[in-house]
Amino acid sequence: MNVLAVTDEAREKHPLEDYLRVDRLPHIWCPGCGLGTILGAFLRGLLKSGLTPDKVAVVSGIGCTGRVAGYIKLDSFHTTHGRAIAFATGLKLAKPELKVVVFSGDGDLAAIGGNHLIHAGRRNIDMTVLCVNNFNYGMTGGQFGPTTPETARSTTSRAGNIENPFNMSALAAASGATYVARWTAAQIHQMEKSIIEALLKKGFSFVEIISPCPTYYGRMNRLPTGLDQMRYYRSNSVVRHGANPNEVGAGTNGQIVTGKFIDIERPYLPGPRDGENGG
Amino acid sequence: MSDREHLEGEHFMSGDEACSEGAISAGCRFFAGYPITPATEIAERMSDRLPEVGGTYVQMEDELGSMAAVLGASWGDAKAMTATSGPGFSLMMENIGLGVMLETPCVVVNVQRAGPSTGLPTMVGQGDMMQARWGSHGCYSIIAISPDSVQEVFDLMIKAFNLAERFRLPVLVMMDGAVGHMYEKVVIPPLDKIHLVTRRRPDVPPGEYWPYMPDEDLIPPMANTGEGYRFHVTGLTHDERGYPAMDPEAQDKLVRRLVEKVERHRDEIIELEEDGTDDAEVVVCAYGITARVATIAVERARREGTRVGLLRLITVWPFPEDKIKSLARQVKAFVVPEINYGQISLEVERSVAGMARLALVPHMGGDVHNPATILEAIRQVIK
């Protein structure tokens, strides 16, 4: 095989280059992590949505997914652990013409930030939350968290997790979200389509994306590479649109039900105003 | 402008109400908070007043979220504030640190009650003065001011927003339960007599803007969200571009600037009130409601023939150590009454550096000092 030396001038521009901080690449994510795939789907979805990118702000919490804000070339905020939704609430209420997107992980959104998640859903704040769920705390080294399936091993549950996990999609739906969908990182096109729908939805939209963490969760649970986890998703995922989110858990010791579960209309905050992005 | 925009004229109101009116007159258009005694009346009035002036009131699920929402709103181009008391102040410390790190202008009011923990919810305390200085983790400088009357609450809210916008950081207004619930006359001056400061904006186009490239005065211009600057800001240690920079050199550069942007402007920030300190042999140093009580003790001591001065700390942080030092060369002793077991007295002691005697007059809270206790301390300290 020939190896071509490609000069900067000859290099074809990546279609998402204008929306990535290329001067910060390579990113810090592990080989086999799902975050690159998900970030790509988000940016493609954003460009297809028709929203004005300069009027989109991305807010992240802390953790591996929290680092997304630092690679996206939009107005982007890397805030405190768990507080991304609360920060985003203030940003959106003060400047309603912005489309505000929270991009964060399951530990950030369901554990330390769980209170803000449920209250943002209750208020039906007009924002989109992308929750990358890898079933553990990746950045700190693979501890179990509120989404870790029962019996799954982690660096703080070596004999198997004894706690019952949260079903993130059910939690968002019960809190009052007007749009709830779940996909795995292996369902790139469905994920992208859902992200577009969520971005254009008025009110609190929530997309849960099950994503591989080969370095910790996968390695400790007999799925040691990103590819193993992606294969697992392919063989165990089913699409069931409109399923009751309460009846569809999302562990890695059973079937993963994916699809668009909730798509309803409900009054939202801040109320509709002229000049809103995409409105 | 609607006539509700700015309530010019004479009013009879509480410290908490004056706090809200001062904020409105300062241009505050966003409040996020969580009800807590004795600061609740600030939230109540803001929920009435902000919709009248085109602003937003949001009641958050806790004080962690309140402080985060205030920062978000400030980045959404609003002058933003919250108000709380001790237990909520503890929770806000997390995102006060983020406010310092992201250099986010905002105002945090703490109507202090007696602690620790739930303490005496309806009763006065001054026990959060050191928490104001050091409460969030890491190394930084902060600005904290302390009013002693309802009129001064109004005036200092304007000063607080101006300082926040000028220096790009959370400014802490350290009220207390007595000042917050006290009713007095307040004169709200015409709007054109109120000097307002707004944050400096970048004068370079997007693409050339680095969010943390400071001007000569160490303060970087702040871009507005949604105007194409596509900036990134992070609570991680960062370089001038706003990018994470995980190395001791970047840490050194950033922390020094965050501290120095306050310390270098001490003369511009610090406001004090002195009464009879010129020829004093004893100086009573106090702040907030305790300064009002101390006035009575000072007057009585003067009638007894003692040359007593009163130094009232309007600015508590950065601490006016130069003033204390120069007084320490002249006086025999300092008397520091405060409604805690000794906090600001430690700073006075540090500044005095053994050049004069020092008497702390602690009071654990629930009510104010008896002036006789302060008078007795004045008598004892010059014996």
Side-chain angles (χ1 to χ4, degrees), chain A residues 54 75 78 80 83 116 123, chain B residues 61 94-95 226 230 232 234:
Chain A
D54 280 346
D75 288 338
H78 183 217
T80 33
R83 314 293 165 235
H116 311 305
R123 287 186 192 102
Chain B
E61 46 276 8
E94 176 194 59
N95 285 299
R230 298 206 196 168
H232 176 61
T234 174

Side-chain angles (χ1 to χ4, degrees), chain A residues 94-144:
Chain A
K95 212 171 173 64
E97 75 260 31
L98 294 173
K99 175 72 210 185
V100 178
V101 180
V102 170
F103 218 129
S104 222
D106 52 302
D108 189 78
L109 292 168
I112 191 166
N115 204 26
H116 311 305
L117 171 70
I118 61 175
H119 287 279
R122 175 181 62 77
R123 287 186 192 102
N124 202 21
I125 286 276
D126 186 26
M127 67 170 70
T128 296
V129 174
L130 303 179
C131 171
V132 180
N133 183 356
N134 62 8
F135 301 128
N136 76 158
Y137 291 103
M139 183 71 89
T140 48
Q143 298 77 30
F144 77 93

Side-chain angles (χ1 to χ4, degrees), chain A residues 38-77:
Chain A
I38 298 164
L39 175 55
F42 168 69
L43 289 175
R44 286 190 303 275
L46 172 64
L47 296 180
K48 287 178 191 168
S49 71
L51 295 173
T52 310
D54 280 346
K55 295 287 181 192
V56 177
V58 175
V59 183
S60 284
I62 296 297
C64 297
T65 312
R67 293 302 191 101
V68 163
Y71 299 120
I72 289 182
K73 199 171 175 183
L74 299 169
D75 288 338
S76 60
F77 301 87

Side-chain angles (χ1 to χ4, degrees), chain B residues 333-352:
Chain B
F334 286 86
V335 172
V336 185
E338 49 184 340
I339 309 178
N340 57 49
Y341 213 165
Q343 294 193 8
I344 292 305
S345 63
L346 297 171
E347 281 295 293
V348 177
E349 189 178 0
R350 180 180 68 80
S351 307
V352 167

